[in-house]
Amino acid sequence: NAGVTQTPKFRVLKTGQSMTLLCAQDMNHEYMYWYRQDPGMGLRLIHYSVGEGTTAKGEVPDGYNVSRLKKQNFLLGLESAAPSQTSVYFCASSPNGQGPEKLFFGSGTQLSVL
Amino acid sequence: SQKIEQNSEALNIQEGKTATLTCNYTNYSPAYLQWYRQDPGRGPVFLLLIRENEKEKRKERLKVTFDTTLKQSLFHITASQPADSATYLCALENGSARQLTFGSGTQLTVLP
């Protein structure tokens, strides 16, 4: 099993450009999450999904959109990138969100917005 | 507002000693708390989960305590090794939609 796979691993954008980050999990997990990690601020939840076709806002959703058309995939979109979105982005999944569950993380995407 | 604080300074210890990392929180009443390990350039990896009604949890050389009165969790690594060098994150369930909120982490370096 590959677990949680994120693509791409690195990306450089110019301000105003758009892009989509892809997250794929092969564990048949119901819940999926997108976090961003900035120095000194820890992981902050952007959006999450409790199942195929559903999404919800997290702590810092502004400037991002997400889609969960298939259970195994969770896409994070930046419509008009800003330098403040320079960060490391992590996708995670958990089995079904019922009771305490550990999260399984991908290896991250380093995004720089110039 | 809700807040999670971990050791703000990096922690250096000598190989073989016990490392103790602290996670303090305010304005939370978490049902459980988790600890993760993160190596440079990698995603966090789950280590331990402790529930509010558990005082202590152990796994091999790792021990976690959870004091809901003090609003604090301590994470111990006994007989530390250089391979234990990493950033350790605590995470609290915030009571809604099973979301976890993470601390900013403590960078541990075990010196040979």
Side-chain angles (χ1 to χ4, degrees):
Chain A
N1 284 347
V4 179
T5 303
Q6 292 183 232
T7 52
K9 294 190 183 302
F10 302 93
R11 187 70 187 269
V12 178
L13 291 178
K14 294 181 179 178
T15 297
Q17 288 185 319
S18 63
M19 78 161 294
T20 301
L21 305 183
L22 172 63
C23 177
Q25 53 94 4
D26 61 2
M27 297 172 285
N28 201 35
H29 285 175
E30 290 292 337
Y31 277 49
M32 296 186 76
Y33 312 81
W34 276 108
Y35 285 88
R36 61 177 288 174
Q37 187 174 40
D38 302 291
M41 300 192 72
L43 289 158
R44 292 183 291 168
L45 184 64
I46 305 171
H47 286 279
Y48 64 98
S49 168
V50 303
E52 181 179 318
T54 70
T55 63
K57 294 180 180 180
E59 179 186 357
V60 289
D62 294 342
Y64 305 95
N65 56 75
V66 289
S67 64
R68 183 104 180 264
L69 299 180
K70 293 184 178 181
K71 185 177 182 179
Q72 64 267 34
N73 296 336
F74 195 29
L75 278 63
L76 178 71
L78 286 72
E79 291 186 347
S80 179
S84 61
Q85 293 177 305
T86 294
S87 187
V88 181
Y89 292 85
F90 288 99
C91 176
S93 69
S94 64
N96 57 26
Q98 302 301 314
E101 294 180 334
K102 61 183 179 181
L103 299 187
F104 294 78
F105 283 86
S107 57
T109 295
Q110 173 78 59
L111 175 66
S112 295
V113 182
L114 306 177
Chain B
S1 63
Q2 297 176 322
K3 196 173 182 181
I4 302 172
E5 287 187 344
Q6 298 190 240
N7 301 49
S8 58
E9 301 291 328
L11 182 62
N12 295 339
I13 64 166
Q14 209 65 38
E15 182 176 7
K17 302 293 186 183
T18 296
T20 299
L21 284 64
T22 304
C23 178
N24 295 302
Y25 59 92
T26 55
N27 298 321
Y28 279 96
S29 295
Y32 58 90
L33 183 149
Q34 301 184 20
W35 283 88
Y36 288 77
R37 169 183 172 142
Q38 186 174 22
D39 292 286
R42 308 295 295 272
V45 175
F46 171 82
L47 295 175
L48 281 168
L49 179 152
I50 186 166
R51 301 171 190 265
E52 61 179 339
N53 60 351
E54 298 175 316
K55 297 297 183 186
E56 182 180 297
K57 202 82 169 280
R58 292 176 185 260
K59 178 182 176 183
E60 297 173 351
R61 294 184 295 111
L62 308 180
K63 184 179 84 171
V64 173
T65 63
F66 192 11
D67 189 325
T68 56
T69 300
L70 291 179
K71 295 186 180 296
Q72 181 181 79
S73 175
L74 298 179
F75 177 81
H76 305 273
I77 305 175
T78 59
S80 60
Q81 304 166 0
D84 295 325
S85 298
T87 296
Y88 292 86
L89 309 171
C90 71
L92 277 66
E93 169 263 342
N94 70 7
S96 65
R98 313 298 182 196
Q99 294 179 36
L100 284 181
T101 300
F102 286 81
S104 58
T106 296
Q107 184 175 350
L108 173 68
T109 302
V110 181
L111 304 169

